Amino acid sequence: MIRRYDFGSPIHTGAVVRELAVENAAVPFFATEVQEGRVSFTIHMDVDDLVFGLGESLRGINKRGHLYRAWNSDDFSHTENKASIYASHNLLLFSGREKLFGVYFDDPGAMEFDLGYTRGDTAVITSENGDLSVYIIEADSLTAICKEFRGLIGRSYLPPKWAFGYIQSRWGYSSDPEVRNVVKEHRDRHIPLDGVCMDIDYMEDFKDFTWNKKSFPDLRKFNADMRADHIRLIPIIDAGVKQLKGYDTCDVGLKKDYFVKKADGKPFVGAVWPGRSYFPDFLREDVRTWFGGEYSKLMDEGIEGFWNDMNEPALFYSEESIAEAFAVADKLRNENLDIHSAFALKDAFNGTANNMEDYRRFYHEVDGQTIRHDKIHNLYGAYMTRAAAEGFRRYDSSKRFLLFSRASFVGAHRYGGVWQGDNSSWWSHIKLNLQMLPSLNMCGFLYSGADLGGFSCNTTEDLMLRWLQLGVFSPLMRNHSADHTREQEVYRFANWEDMRDILTVRYGLLPYLYSEFMKAALSDGMYFRPLAFDYPTDDVACRVEDQVMLGSDCMIAPVYEQNARGRHVYLPEDMLMVRFRSATDYDLTPMEAGHYWIELALNEMPLFIRRGHVVPLAKPAEYVEGIDFTDLRLLGWLDEGVTTTLYNDDGQTTEPVLESGLTTITVTVEGENVNARGEGLTLNVDDVIVGE
Ligand code: MIG
């Protein structure tokens, strides 16, 4: 059951697709206070209460005990003290002995979530603008609450099947021969690969929808050659449009008045990669239609996927803020800089980036109303994603395209996926990566992943390998790193063969992972869940922060510490451990519920399959199109027969129907004798273990 409560004059965010009548009563569960335009919601938390949600945000799966702020921010340093990153996913789930409900705050402006930070037993959620709708969601389990919520916000984005392949990316790839070489290094060593991302250096002077004709002289042919090798090129698009006469996107945008404006009616100028830039008003439908259509300039060359960046929007400076900084500098130029003035000078320039003052300098048109940017800040990236997705649909409505964004808001989950932004090559970020995945799923963002190996800082070969072992399971499996950091394509490392072998596990499991993803997407379910969702009465499971459930049959528990030769794992029920070294080299250990220390050499990764379930494994391939989805080996620990279903489709149908993609697999057990059949499938049961 979902009930809606309104405060102030809620701005239409597009997050919700089901129109609900507004309740007249007070919001249940919370004490509400309206003060100076702000609205706050206070709730007492019992000692045992758990708090989940907030999608892409820092810290743990259980969000209790800290402060979070909904304010989409370009922040490349994901440390524990940060309250905001790129997304605002304002869903919370409260679960305890006396409580079980979800609450969604549909507010496009700044919000604060004090979840036991100021007082350990109290959560205070504050809307700074006070214009919002609050949805209270009740059902009999956390999983059911999320399903209800997903019904409210609409079906998740469906990527094409090839987007589940391994993708190599790096900021710095800047020419056709360079990218070809990256592909060749993979293919020569039989390292699986399905895509290469092209970062900003493919563009001509960082201009959206252009490419550098010197370094990419024939993009169409280049792309065609790549396609023949089962590789997709995935270019980046930034939110800011370079200010330049004669640059088509800029000229048209100015002529048609498509950019956000200041109070004086002049277009706002902020700087990003190309220097001074304009920012499309993605909240306007006509602007979305135009900008979404611009992607066709690259699609006409054969491109089938994009990533949208810098759409918080990130601002290096504005004309105004840089002028103020120079004024400070001029004033201090001949001074003897002491502790105060020296820092004032530095701060004057550092403070120009992503400055709150700048976010108050420009306006949007929303449904005929003029709204200052800061009131709707958190929608900007989501509407850029929407613009792109709608453009793709107009371009070819019969085909799924790959799209993932950095900034997002609930609602954008219908249009694209997200990557987790500029993480670092730190061990703690493997764990952070794991913790964000189920939270993102709660909010509908199923297609997601982090920069494997880490974006900032220099990676190491053991970190790369351990991170890939988690990446095997994330729908977006992309190795990405920043310019000037250590090169981290897997072939750069002495132990590349171990990395290749781990990648074969991804391709071997892909029929299963794709099936579980599509089942979740088409039924408003979750691909990743915290253990608390599946074992709500198990107090240990409810607080596990470094293991998550995957699909209906599995649990994962990656190693995320350097020099570790294993890890502690808690099994809430009997499970079969599959310890993979590759898709063809693994061992099976049936394990009863309980606590274990599991030995895991650097080249080994575990998958836990619930007793009574089977998981299919295909023969490894070097690209998704090469996987035989019909020739499968079943892994499992059974006491009796079981039936399961496997979803598959052509990988690009835009309106797939769950039922028509399902094949039933029936496993029978008679004594030691196991048999399995499924229409059109060749099934091997040598790895199904029976009984004790
Ligand atoms: O300010 O395009 O998060 O993935 O490599 C940096 C360059 C801009 C930020 C993205 C990152 C990308 C980088 N971009």
Side-chain angles (χ1 to χ4, degrees), residues 196-214:
V196 179
C197 283
M198 308 208 300
D199 207 323
I200 45 174
D201 301 292
Y202 82 88
M203 296 184 201
E204 182 184 81
D205 301 328
F206 307 124
K207 291 184 302 204
D208 277 342
F209 312 116
T210 69
W211 59 96
N212 186 317
K213 300 276 165 28
K214 283 199 199 91

Side-chain angles (χ1 to χ4, degrees), residues 181-201:
N181 186 55
V182 169
V183 172
K184 184 175 183 307
E185 295 283 359
H186 284 83
R187 290 285 182 248
D188 283 354
R189 292 175 172 80
H190 306 289
I191 301 166
L193 188 70
D194 269 271
V196 179
C197 283
M198 308 208 300
D199 207 323
I200 45 174
D201 301 292

